[in-house]
Amino acid sequence: MFFVDTIELEGLGNRSYLAGGERAAVAVDPPRDIDQVMAAAARRGVRISHVVETHIHNDYVTGGLELARITGANYLVPAGARVAFARTAVADGDTVDIDTGLALTAVATPGHTPHHTSYVLSEAGRPVAAFTGGSLLIGTVGRPDLVEPRLTEQLARAQHASAHRLADALPDETEVLPTHGFGSFCSSAQADGDATTIGKEKTANPALTVDVDTFVADLLAGLEDVPAYYTHMGPANAGGPAPVDLTAPAVADPDEIAARLEAGEWVVDLRNRIAFAEGHVAGSFNFEADGKVATYLAWMIPWGKPVTLLAESTEQLAVAQRELVRVGIDRPAAAATGGPTDWLRDNESAASFPRSTFAELAGQDKDRIVVLDVRRDSERAGGWIEGSVHIPIHQMHRRIDEVPDGTVWVHCAGGMRAGIAASLLDAAGRDVVAVDDGFDAATKAGLTIVTG
């Protein structure tokens, strides 16, 4: 009997897998913090004999090289990927034995990248699972625009062909196990559900249900902005990532926190947005540990700028540190735990700003305030508050001077991104109100929503 264990990377919206038999297993697209994969293998009582990459990842730093080094596993990387380290280059059709009666076959599935490779797991010669990486996802496919703009349409057409290749070659009951699609910006759309098979995808995935021209046109029309930190992930993975250090950062006292702020460094408060609004260190930014801290912090921070983390507990700090190493923010400059009273000097007071709702916004004099929408372009296209200013959250740190004068009522779709934006505005000395409410409530509150 074979097994497949899923390793969820919720902050990044990705999955990694450990699959094997009684004695040995293969790790697929492992995260940077490889202890999770090793723990999964220990629970199963198996040796990791192979580590495979479906592609050179654009959205996170891989742990594949280090996992292979530590375990002695054979490290399989698509032959078309240009890398600076020793590996076993795999080509279409290459097959390796994982355990007795259990084999893994490489299937060329270009589209997400030119070299993208899926891996089909077979038991006694029968395909049972396909690790599809950024190729065939649940109800969608991986983005084709992350490599080179001139290749985007060509790769989109390749995605369509690769999806059909998998669908034609594999039995309907074969499990489809993608890496992307669960919140990752590497996916062209979000997964519709949690599990799927080749048969289900044949009836639901546009790559398998519409003609190639329609598929390509729709795919390209729906692409979102690319997170800025993606620029750094591919080169890091191709060069060979260094091992991670998850030991606790140096402790920052109030004087050091103040000095780092004065030096223009980023001080990031990981507490929830409610606690932050009620009281925080002036000049600090709020990226909730329970939100997509890795994605949005890595997207917005000037790359390489030192970051100091403020957390309510050592546990919260450790979780955030783990998420950040996955996107190449390897070591915080410093950290502190507790709350504002622990982080402020004796002569300082906590800063704060109000939170509100769309119902309260509806009662404001619109000529005396600024309504700022920080949702993505695709979200705003579905409707926006009349007279609102639009700056997507990932552009806020660069465009904050574009926000008109006046008290800023900032909103997103649910509240988390509004909290980030409010913290940036507050740090810049602006009067701000964070609208911590679902956007559906805007219509119910009587606000005029513009569409088209």
Side-chain angles (χ1 to χ4, degrees):
M1 292 293 292
F2 74 96
F3 71 86
V4 177
D5 289 341
T6 300
I7 298 168
E8 296 277 2
L9 303 172
E10 293 183 3
L12 292 177
N14 284 332
R15 288 177 175 177
S16 177
Y17 302 93
L18 183 75
E22 293 183 359
R23 293 179 300 277
V26 56
V28 181
D29 288 343
R32 185 94 180 275
D33 47 326
I34 59 174
D35 55 338
Q36 294 186 92
V37 185
M38 297 175 70
R43 286 192 296 270
R44 288 285 185 177
V46 296
R47 174 178 64 90
I48 298 176
S49 60
H50 295 78
V51 176
V52 304
E53 303 284 5
T54 56
H55 60 294
I56 299 299
H57 304 283
N58 288 290
D59 63 331
Y60 70 93
V61 181
T62 181
L65 182 63
E66 180 66 2
L67 182 60
R69 185 187 69 82
I70 288 179
T71 62
N74 194 359
Y75 190 27
L76 277 56
V77 178
R82 300 182 64 180
V83 297
F85 49 83
R87 88 291 191 203
T88 297
V90 294
D92 184 51
D94 287 352
T95 299
V96 295
D97 293 327
I98 303 301
D99 206 318
T100 302
L102 202 62
L104 194 73
T105 300
V107 180
T109 49
H112 187 47
T113 66
H115 61 264
H116 191 283
T117 300
S118 298
Y119 297 89
V120 175
L121 185 70
S122 297
E123 184 182 43
R126 178 179 63 90
V128 291
F131 300 101
T132 55
S135 183
L136 186 65
L137 311 185
I138 302 178
T140 185
V141 296
R143 296 176 66 148
D145 62 327
L146 302 180
V147 177
E148 159 61 53
R150 290 172 296 182
L151 295 178
T152 297
E153 182 174 348
Q154 174 185 330
L155 289 176
R157 292 181 178 277
Q159 279 289 51
H160 189 271
S162 291
H164 279 269
R165 184 182 186 198
L166 290 169
D168 293 343
L170 298 174
D172 283 356
E173 64 271 18
T174 308
E175 284 190 89
V176 175
L177 301 172
T179 299
H180 303 314
F182 310 96
S184 168
F185 283 92
C186 264
S187 174
S188 60
Q190 295 315 301
D192 182 16
D194 191 57
T196 192
T197 63
I198 288 292
K200 290 178 181 177
E201 291 308 300
K202 284 181 177 179
T203 65
N205 197 310
L208 298 172
T209 59
V210 301
D211 67 89
V212 62
D213 291 332
T214 301
F215 168 78
V216 170
D218 291 345
L219 179 61
L220 299 186
L223 294 174
E224 301 272 12
D225 287 344
V226 178
Y229 72 91
Y230 279 25
T231 301
H232 307 280
M233 300 297 96
N237 287 322
V244 298
D245 179 2
L246 290 174
T247 59
V251 177
D253 62 18
D255 287 332
E256 182 176 354
I257 293 170
R260 290 188 176 279
L261 282 168
E262 290 167 4
E265 297 181 9
W266 278 37
V267 174
V268 171
D269 191 326
L270 298 166
R271 296 175 302 146
N272 70 65
R273 59 185 181 268
I274 299 173
F276 183 88
E278 290 175 347
H280 55 269
V281 177
S284 62
F285 303 143
N286 181 217
F287 289 81
E288 290 182 303
D290 293 336
K292 295 176 75 68
V293 60
T295 295
Y296 283 107
L297 179 55
W299 196 339
M300 296 170 67
I301 191 171
W303 199 251
K305 182 177 282 291
V307 59
T308 295
L309 301 178
L310 307 180
E312 62 185 8
S313 66
T314 55
E315 293 77 15
Q316 186 181 67
L317 174 61
V319 170
Q321 190 178 348
R322 180 178 289 271
E323 290 198 23
L324 292 175
V325 300
R326 294 172 183 160
V327 292
I329 301 177
D330 284 7
R331 292 292 295 170
T337 57
T341 56
D342 303 299
W343 306 330
L344 292 165
R345 294 177 292 190
D346 292 341
N347 61 339
E348 293 176 326
S349 299
S352 64
F353 54 78
R355 296 166 48 252
S356 194
T357 64
F358 283 111
E360 293 176 1
L361 172 59
Q364 302 299 308
D365 183 347
K366 301 304 184 296
D367 294 329
R368 301 175 64 88
I369 66 169
V370 177
V371 179
L372 175 63
D373 181 350
V374 297
R375 296 175 301 158
R376 296 189 301 275
D377 290 343
S378 60
E379 295 172 287
R380 186 169 169 90
W384 64 90
I385 296 173
E386 185 179 39
S388 61
V389 176
H390 181 225
I391 302 177
I393 184 61
H394 57 276
Q395 299 176 14
M396 270 294 298
H397 61 300
R398 301 192 308 271
R399 299 177 57 190
I400 201 162
D401 291 342
E402 298 178 26
V403 180
D405 293 337
T407 299
V408 184
W409 287 62
V410 58
H411 78 85
C412 59
M416 185 269 287
R417 288 171 294 173
I420 296 174
S423 73
L424 295 174
L425 289 160
D426 178 72
R430 298 296 302 271
D431 290 330
V432 62
V433 179
V435 179
D436 198 348
D437 203 356
F439 190 70
D440 289 346
T443 301
K444 298 175 184 177
L447 290 162
T448 301
I449 304 300
V450 180
T451 57

